[in-house]
Amino acid sequence: MARYRGPVCRLCRREGSKLFLKGDRCFSEKCSVDKRNYPPGQHGQGRTRFSDYGVQLREKQKVRRMYGLQEKQFARTMQRATRMRGRAGENLLQLLERRLDNVVFRLGFATSRSEARQLVRHGHFLVNGRPASIPSTLLKPGQTITLAQGSQEVARIAGALEALEGRSVPAWLEIDKESYQGTVKTLPVREDITLPIQEQLIVELYSR
């Protein structure tokens, strides 16, 4: 299935919550979810009833769209999470959070995960001093993410770092804006992920 390239605000309205796909717009009063908190389409304001399967499916779609994964990518990540020790749902969120594109977004180098994914693919970042251009790379504690020397004047990245002033970086990450470098201090735990996600519904969906 090809990557969705339509208006992303429709995805937020479809899931009924902010997926933070539009950068600064999601934090402003222009957010479509705040203005029109109902699904898109001519029947969007009608009553919608979901079965148990429908509720589980919508939760999976919400998380998949939030992190920008395609269906097969998400299914493979879920399979890996079930093979790990611990709770499968928490393992899933940990794997998603450890992706390089998500870490770049969390550190404040980009205003959205899609923008972070594009910056990573264009080779703007180094991991432990080596070029890294694969967004799905899983980072480990102790690894450093550094902005490439020739990318420190990129306006989009500079603007994102300026916008970071009013936001906080997760406790499992650390950012040094003066040296354009971030560090993964520890593995993320469930308490570090404050997004409105019910991961158990996704586990139940894939266990059918």
Side-chain angles (χ1 to χ4, degrees), residues 85-105:
R85 292 183 178 180
R87 298 182 178 180
E90 295 182 7
N91 292 339
L92 172 66
L93 295 182
Q94 184 186 105
L95 291 173
L96 293 173
E97 285 289 309
R98 287 170 54 198
R99 286 172 55 95
L100 177 57
D101 55 355
N102 178 76
V103 172
V104 168
F105 165 67

Side-chain angles (χ1 to χ4, degrees), residues 100 104 115-127 129-135 145-152 154 157:
L100 177 57
V104 168
E115 183 178 75
R117 184 163 48 251
Q118 185 183 52
L119 292 174
V120 170
R121 283 176 174 167
H122 289 183
H124 289 288
F125 294 94
L126 310 174
V127 175
R130 296 184 176 183
S133 59
I134 301 177
I145 302 91
T146 309
L147 188 63
Q149 187 70 30
S151 304
Q152 296 179 3
V154 176
I157 299 177

Side-chain angles (χ1 to χ4, degrees), residues 98 127-128 137-145 182-185:
R98 287 170 54 198
V127 175
N128 285 354
T137 300
L138 293 180
L139 300 181
K140 301 177 182 178
Q143 289 187 312
T144 59
I145 302 91
T183 306
V184 180
K185 297 193 296 183

